[in-house]
Amino acid sequence: PTHVKAAKQEKYMRSLIQATPAYELSIDITTSAHGHSLRLISFVPTARRPEDQVKFQGVFSTAELKSLRDALNQALAPEADRLIQ
């Protein structure tokens, strides 16, 4: 019998959140069949050996990421909008 390997379906996104000459913070999200892997990564370009440092990581469902998005949106909403919710 012929075995066919399924193509690996992953989407990858990395966005810079905060940057100064001495420090960078980015978010890395990889989506696969297992869920969404989210990592917060710091980088210190002035370090003796600069390299990415994972500060937080976890695997989340789409619903969990939507909850996180909703919480961030609520925190960023004007105060009048927050009182309504």
Side-chain angles (χ1 to χ4, degrees):
T2 305
H3 296 283
V4 178
K5 252 189 178 176
K8 199 173 186 182
Q9 296 291 325
E10 284 190 354
K11 287 190 335 188
Y12 175 81
M13 180 197 82
R14 186 161 183 171
S15 295
L16 190 61
I17 296 172
Q18 183 182 53
T20 69
Y23 181 81
E24 294 177 1
L25 180 67
S26 59
I27 186 168
D28 170 304
I29 300 174
T30 304
T31 300
S32 71
H34 303 291
H36 307 278
S37 172
L38 182 144
R39 299 185 314 156
L40 291 175
I41 301 167
S42 67
F43 180 75
V44 179
T46 57
R48 186 176 299 137
R49 288 190 296 257
E51 62 184 16
D52 288 344
Q53 298 286 324
V54 176
K55 297 299 182 181
F56 172 83
Q57 67 181 356
V59 176
F60 300 91
S61 68
T62 298
E64 291 166 332
L65 281 187
K66 285 180 179 179
S67 287
L68 175 60
R69 179 191 61 196
D70 293 346
L72 291 171
N73 286 341
Q74 188 172 355
L76 295 172
E79 187 174 343
D81 291 349
R82 282 186 265 147
L83 295 175
I84 294 170
Q85 297 177 10

